[in-house]
Amino acid sequence: MAEDIRQNFGTDSAVTVTLASLADAASAVSNAIDLGLLAPFALSIEAKLDGSAAGNTGLIEIYAQWSNENTDFSDSGNDLLAGVVQMNGTTAVIKVFSAPVHARYVKFRVANASGAALAATGNALRYVPVSVDQV
């Protein structure tokens, strides 16, 4: 009997990170996320970002900092690039991308290289765990 392997999407959750008015050339690091003992194999990440000026046309880079024990996380120079968002001025931008899971705990670092500060509101980072379901 053939079995199908399908993606199983978990609960959509907010990432706790301060993105309001994040200055150009600055970074913000999220709180640690515990993916659990039976962690997913990937994360679906949704970035909702809003520029504050016409100069917000560069990139917002999103990095993952991994830890096995929730104490030592990779430093900025050794983060893993998870995704890049192309900004378009003052209009809100939404991008969804996937990142593989490397350890039980993760923090996200959002680096603003867009050319101007982000807006004071309308910025968020969310994730959904992606697991395997065999039916």
Side-chain angles (χ1 to χ4, degrees), residues 19-81:
L19 299 176
S21 303
L22 181 64
D24 186 43
S27 294
V29 179
S30 75
N31 289 354
I33 299 167
D34 182 353
L35 297 173
L37 186 58
L38 300 173
F41 70 86
L43 298 174
S44 176
I45 303 165
E46 180 182 75
K48 292 182 180 179
L49 303 171
D50 200 352
S52 65
N56 284 103
T57 58
L59 302 175
I60 303 291
E61 300 165 337
I62 301 169
Y63 296 90
Q65 299 176 332
W66 296 100
S67 174
N68 287 321
E69 76 296 316
N70 200 23
T71 302
D72 296 320
F73 288 84
S74 59
D75 55 29
S76 299
N78 291 302
D79 293 348
L80 292 175
L81 182 64

Side-chain angles (χ1 to χ4, degrees), residues 3-9 41 130-135:
E3 295 186 29
D4 294 328
I5 296 177
R6 300 180 184 163
Q7 293 184 79
N8 184 8
F9 294 97
F41 70 86
V130 182
S131 301
V132 173
D133 186 20
Q134 190 170 357
V135 291

